[in-house]
Amino acid sequence: MNPQAKLLSITSLFLGSTITITSNHWIMAWTGLEINTLAILPLISKSHHPRAIEAATKYFLVQAAASALLLFSSMTNAWYTGQWDITQLTHPTSCLLLTTAISIKLGLVPFHFWFPEVLQGTSLTTGLLLATALKFPPITLLLLTSPSLNPTLLTILAVASTALGGWAGLNQTQTRKILAFSSISHLGWMAIILVYNPKLTLITFYLYCLMTIPIFLTLDTIKTLKLTTMSTAWTKIPPLTATLMLMLLSLAGLPPLTGFLPKWLIIQELTKQEMTPTATIIALLSLLGLFFYLRLAYCATITPPPNSINHMKQWQTNKSTKMFITTFIT
């Protein structure tokens, strides 16, 4: 990819995110989201592989539909209330449409189908942007409108996302798809506490980014896209692989690692809100994610089997030597 074009795309990403995060008007927020969508498309399709082009097309169609829904939500609210301010979203239909639009943009269940496919079709560095930076503006809009949102609807979406993120990740062998379903599962944890404690949602998102960024960068460094190739990573950079194991276990939420803190606080807050059954269900569903995180950590740290390529080279060398000796003797 042309360096100037890459710089322009990354600059546009920062500009779009900044516009959305700092705006008070719905049109400005929508403009920032559109800039983000258009800026990430060249980065997704930069390899010119058919799978990358397909991922870029899916991403564009899904994000365009979500942006149109968000614009329709804000226009409906302005029609009934005369307010374009983001914090003044009070009409019930507008709140429902906004929740749907942001759920599509984030990839919450049942609007999650595009996210694993897009992440699988792009590189790990672009996937890192999709899983972290591009989720920040929609989450900001959810935080600003959280007092007006329907808590029952968000709870259903959150529990469904945590359940599907855990179940669907169990049978995956591609690291990018595993990380995509991991992102869906963590979005469920963020959504369930959004109405009751928005600051806790923000802390959870920050810590998720803090743990996900090293995982993506490590996998990109050791060039690992599948679980089968992950077992050979231990011989390349042992300290980096050990760090990867710790980050995966932290993402799973094992104490005393960092990832345990937001889950503990969320369960504590849900219990204070007299939602003990919901807290129990979401805590049990996190065990599904723990399984594939442990599998990733195990694959990253086991001693690899003897390298078949080296053995083949050694066998060919021995064969050539034997043929030379036989020819020399005869």
Side-chain angles (χ1 to χ4, degrees), residues 89-111:
L89 190 76
T90 54
H91 195 265
T93 306
S94 299
C95 295
L96 181 62
L97 289 172
L98 177 77
T99 306
T100 307
I102 301 297
S103 298
I104 295 172
K105 279 197 167 289
L106 290 174
L108 280 169
V109 175
F111 312 106

Side-chain angles (χ1 to χ4, degrees), residues 13 39 43 45 52 69 73 83 89 131 150 157 170 195-196 207 228 236 248-249 319 322:
L13 278 176
L43 296 177
S45 58
L69 205 57
S73 166
Q83 290 288 337
L89 190 76
N150 187 346
L157 292 177
L170 292 177
V195 175
Y196 308 107
L207 291 178
T228 51
K236 295 179 183 177
L248 287 168
L249 294 178
K319 185 179 178 182
K322 288 178 183 177

Side-chain angles (χ1 to χ4, degrees), residues 6 18 40 45 60 90 93-94 101 107 116 136 150-151 163 170 181 184 186 242 252 257 259 289 303 308 310 315 329:
K6 193 173 184 179
T18 306
I40 196 67
S45 58
F60 173 73
T90 54
T93 306
S94 299
F136 189 42
N150 187 346
L170 292 177
F181 287 115
I184 293 170
H186 278 83
L257 299 171
T303 304
S308 57
N310 292 337
W315 178 79
I329 293 174

